[in-house]
Amino acid sequence: EAGVTQSPTHLIKTRGQQATLRCSPISGHTSVYWYQQALGLGLQFLLWYDEGEERNRGNFPPRFSGRQFPNYSSELNVNALELEDSALYLCASSLAHRGNQPQHFGDGTRLSIL
Amino acid sequence: AQSVAQPEDQVNVAEGNPLTVKCTYSVSGNPYLFWYVQYPNRGLQFLLKYITGDNLVKGSYGFEAEFNKSQTSFHLKKPSALVSDSALYFCAVRDDNYGQNFVFGPGTRLSVLP
């Protein structure tokens, strides 16, 4: 069974540009979560999508947005990039209809802002 | 509201000795509890979960965790540490009410010394 896949692995942008990160969940998983992890520290919750709808959003500005497609893959968009957006962005998926199921993570996209 | 605390930023243990990584939580309903491990430049890997039943849960790589409802704790343990166990460990909780996010602790860095 293929795990959660994220692309690209690395992304280098300059201030003010826009970045698009992609995530493919494990087959059969309908929920996708996005997290920001700066400097190998804790995870900051960004967004949760389930069945194509945004279910919850973390404390991030509106320039962080995303969507979930009919095949349950997801995209995270970050507009007007700032230096502090440099981080590892992790995507996770789970069987949302059963809250006792763990999240399964991809290896992340490392976003560097120059 | 849900919350997770990992009171130790860093835990050092000698190879072959038992290890404990501490986690305490707060939820309004019944908790679903999870432990994850993160190796450098990788995503989080699921280790084990507590949903209900036996308070001692066994997981991957010889890890186990003990659920203590009265102390609202879910400490991760291993009888004999390996150098390869050195990594960042995250505890997470989810309330059993559907629609609640996973909440992750800040992480504990485990160093196993040869």
Side-chain angles (χ1 to χ4, degrees):
Chain A
E1 177 185 80
V4 177
T5 57
Q6 292 186 245
S7 63
T9 305
H10 293 93
L11 190 56
I12 300 174
K13 295 285 186 177
T14 57
R15 287 180 60 190
Q17 285 189 313
Q18 184 255 354
T20 298
L21 288 63
R22 296 179 175 84
C23 172
S24 292
I26 291 172
S27 178
H29 287 189
T30 61
S31 261
V32 170
Y33 307 79
W34 287 95
Y35 295 89
Q36 182 193 67
Q37 185 181 32
L39 297 172
L41 298 177
L43 278 69
Q44 301 300 316
F45 168 70
L46 270 164
L47 291 159
W48 171 23
Y49 291 97
D50 180 52
E51 296 285 357
E53 303 219 354
E54 183 179 301
R55 298 295 183 180
N56 207 341
R57 181 182 179 87
N59 188 24
F60 279 83
R63 59 190 186 83
F64 287 84
S65 65
R67 54 180 172 167
Q68 187 178 34
F69 299 100
N71 67 354
Y72 303 114
S73 67
S74 178
E75 206 172 78
L76 174 69
N77 295 292
V78 188
N79 294 320
L81 287 164
E82 300 178 3
L83 293 176
E84 53 265 33
D85 296 334
S86 294
L88 181 66
Y89 289 83
L90 292 168
C91 172
S93 72
S94 76
L95 292 167
H97 63 284
R98 298 186 64 183
N100 59 6
Q101 294 300 311
Q103 294 184 354
H104 296 272
F105 284 79
D107 283 337
T109 293
R110 171 89 45 202
L111 176 61
S112 299
I113 312 303
L114 303 179
Chain B
Q2 307 165 102
S3 67
V4 178
Q6 292 181 242
E8 299 156 319
D9 293 335
Q10 174 91 32
V11 170
N12 297 320
V13 64
E15 186 176 27
N17 282 1
L19 69 86
T20 299
V21 183
K22 296 179 181 178
C23 171
T24 59
Y25 66 90
S26 175
V27 296
S28 55
N30 292 313
Y32 298 140
L33 294 155
F34 306 84
W35 274 103
Y36 290 82
V37 60
Q38 185 180 31
Y39 296 101
N41 300 312
R42 299 297 302 275
L44 278 66
Q45 294 179 32
F46 168 68
L47 281 177
L48 52 79
K49 67 179 180 182
Y50 170 84
I51 304 302
T52 186
D54 194 349
N55 289 343
L56 185 64
V57 178
K58 294 187 183 297
S60 307
Y61 313 119
F63 284 94
E64 58 189 28
E66 186 168 10
F67 171 67
N68 187 317
K69 187 172 183 177
S70 62
Q71 296 185 4
T72 61
S73 67
F74 189 56
H75 300 331
L76 181 70
K77 300 181 180 184
K78 188 174 183 181
S80 178
L82 301 173
V83 172
S84 57
D85 293 329
S86 299
L88 193 54
Y89 289 80
F90 291 96
C91 180
V93 66
R94 192 179 194 184
D95 196 302
D96 67 350
N97 294 319
Y98 176 74
Q100 295 296 319
N101 283 349
F102 279 75
V103 174
F104 284 83
T108 297
R109 189 164 299 280
L110 173 67
S111 292
V112 181
L113 309 173

